[in-house]
Amino acid sequence: MDMDQVPGSLNDGGQNCSFKEWHDAFPQPKSSPPSISADELAVLLKTKTVGKDFVVVDVRRTDFEDWCIPGAINLPAHSFYPTLQGAVALLQSVPLVIFHCNSCGKPSSRGRRVAGWYQDYLDEKGITTSSARYLEGGIKGWASQWKGKEEGMLLKL
C-alpha cells in the first residue's frame, strides 16, 4: 500500500493517469465483507452508540445529497484508498464500520469496494478490534424503508 507506487497519483505528477474508472488506479479488494440489512442497522441506531459501538460511513462524493443516515460520516470512495491508513487509525477502535453508497448492489459498487479495502487493511495489519460491513441497498434502500415512517431515521440534507 505504498502510495508512491500508485500510477496517476500526485506522487508521479499524474503523468500516468490513463484510467477508465476512478478505481482502476487502486487494487481490487481481496475481502468481501458481509452485508448488514436496513433492519439490523435500525436496531443498532436505536440501541447502540454511534462512534463507540458502530459507525456508518457514507462513501458518496458529489452525489452526497438529499438524505443521510443519522450519525453517518462522509468519506468519499474516490479518495478513500489513498487515505486508508488515516481512516483506519481513526476507525479501528469502532467494532463495526458500515459502508454505503447509493445502492451497494454490485460487488464493484463503491460501498462494497471501500468496505473491502478497509477489511483488507485490518487483516493485513492484524487489527481485530474492528470489522467492515456494507449496507444492503445503500442509501436508496434505507430511504425507501424509512422515508416518512419514523422520525430520526433519515436526515434530509
Side-chain angles (χ1 to χ4, degrees), residues 36-45 135-136 142 145-146 153:
I36 185 170
S37 70
D39 289 334
E40 291 169 314
L41 177 55
V43 169
L44 290 175
L45 283 167
L135 178 61
E136 291 173 11
W142 182 262
Q145 181 160 337
W146 294 106
M153 295 301 281

Side-chain angles (χ1 to χ4, degrees), residues 55-86:
V55 69
V56 177
V57 179
D58 187 329
V59 300
R60 296 175 294 159
R61 188 172 74 168
T62 56
D63 53 341
F64 181 71
E65 52 190 35
D66 292 330
W67 306 100
C68 75
I69 296 169
I73 60 173
N74 182 236
L75 299 175
H78 297 69
S79 58
F80 191 84
Y81 190 84
T83 61
L84 185 56
Q85 184 176 2

Side-chain angles (χ1 to χ4, degrees), residues 82-129:
T83 61
L84 185 56
Q85 184 176 2
V88 170
L90 294 171
L91 298 171
Q92 68 183 344
S93 65
V94 180
L96 190 59
V97 181
I98 303 159
F99 296 89
H100 80 81
C101 56
N102 272 334
S103 64
C104 296
K106 299 176 185 175
S108 63
S109 72
R110 291 174 291 175
R112 290 172 75 168
R113 180 180 304 277
V114 172
W117 286 334
Y118 181 77
Q119 190 63 55
D120 287 350
Y121 193 90
L122 295 175
D123 294 346
E124 180 183 302
K125 299 298 181 185
I127 300 168
T128 59
T129 53

